[in-house]
């Protein structure tokens, strides 16, 4: 296992432009900022510490991907599937993430400042110590999520489902 990305930014652009898949690729610490990765297959990718600022991931498949420590600030994540992804310590500042699937994700200490998360699902997700300050959480499914010590102060919460969620120490 190499700690360097196996592809360059240019390689990624070429693969995406030709309609190819990036599934299982090592993109560790790669600068992918401002690239259109909408509907791309990124399952099982290593995207740890990648720069994903202002990336379009609309409809992308990131199931089982590792995005630990990545920066997704100002990215478009609507209708993406992050099921079972490892997203610990990810920055989601100012993202648009409508109808996105975060089921069974590890999101420990992720930051969702000013994020639009409407109609998304965090079912069974680990959201311990996450910060949702000023986030929009309309019609979000948080069923059975672990929200222990999560900070939802100043978040807009409307018709959000918390059935079976661990809300120990959650701040609202």
């Amino acid at each position: 296992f190499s700690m360097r990305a196996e592809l360059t930014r240019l390689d990624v652009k070429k693969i995406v432009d030709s309609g190819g898949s990036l599934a299982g690729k090592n993109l560790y610490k790669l600068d992918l900022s401002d690239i259109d990765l909408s509907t791309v297959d990124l399952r099982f990718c290593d995207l740890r510490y990648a720069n994903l600022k202002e990336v379009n991931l609309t409809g992308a498949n990131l199931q089982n991907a590792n995005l630990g420590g990545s920066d997704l600030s100002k990215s478009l994540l609507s209708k993406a599937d992050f099921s079972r992804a490892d997203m610990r310590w990810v920055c989601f500042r100012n993202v648009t993430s409508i109808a996105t699937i975060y089921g069974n994700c590890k999101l420990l200490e992720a930051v969702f400042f000013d994020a639009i998360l409407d109609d998304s699902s965090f079912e069974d997700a680990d959201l311990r110590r996450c910060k949702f300050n000023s986030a929009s959480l309309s019609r979000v499914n948080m069923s059975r999520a672990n929200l222990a010590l999560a900070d939802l102060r100043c978040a807009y919460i409307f018709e959000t489902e918390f059935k079976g969620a661990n809300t120990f120490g959650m701040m609202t």
Side-chain angles (χ1 to χ4, degrees):
F1 175 72
S2 170
M3 290 303 276
R4 267 187 61 211
E6 65 185 271
L7 300 172
T8 66
R9 178 182 171 90
L10 186 58
D11 293 335
V12 169
K13 281 185 158 185
K14 285 179 183 174
I15 291 168
V16 170
D17 289 345
S18 68
S21 170
L22 293 168
K25 298 292 184 197
N26 176 0
L27 306 174
Y28 177 78
K29 284 191 173 180
L30 204 57
D31 180 5
L32 298 171
S33 60
D34 203 31
I35 292 182
D36 185 354
L37 297 172
S38 58
T39 71
V40 172
D41 185 357
L42 294 157
R43 291 172 298 140
F44 296 98
C45 270
D46 182 357
L47 289 156
R48 288 174 301 143
Y49 303 102
N51 179 359
L52 297 163
K53 288 180 183 176
E54 300 183 32
V55 169
N56 183 356
L57 286 165
T58 303
N61 184 348
L62 290 113
Q63 294 176 4
N64 297 292
N66 188 343
L67 291 100
S70 294
D71 188 349
L72 284 157
S73 295
K74 298 182 182 176
S75 291
L76 303 175
L77 310 177
S78 296
K79 297 184 180 175
D81 186 350
F82 291 100
S83 298
R84 297 172 304 284
D86 187 341
M87 302 177 84
R88 292 176 283 187
W89 313 292
V90 170
C91 180
F92 292 93
R93 190 179 300 267
N94 293 102
V95 298
T96 301
S97 184
I98 299 168
T100 305
I101 300 167
Y102 296 95
N104 247 318
C105 275
K106 296 177 187 125
L107 287 149
L108 180 75
E109 296 181 355
V111 175
F112 292 92
F113 290 166
D114 301 307
I116 300 169
L117 303 166
D118 302 344
D119 299 303
S120 292
S121 177
F122 289 87
E123 195 168 1
D124 297 305
D126 182 358
L127 297 161
R128 288 175 294 157
R129 295 189 298 280
C130 283
K131 294 179 178 10
F132 290 92
N133 306 77
S134 301
S136 179
L137 297 165
S138 291
R139 297 169 306 281
V140 171
N141 181 1
M142 297 268 193
S143 298
R144 296 180 309 282
N146 186 351
L147 287 151
L149 303 173
D151 188 349
L152 282 78
R153 289 179 289 189
C154 300
Y156 178 75
I157 301 169
F158 178 74
E159 293 182 358
T160 296
E161 178 65 57
F162 291 98
K163 185 176 182 181
N166 175 8
T167 58
F168 174 79
M170 184 174 82
M171 295 167 265
T172 53

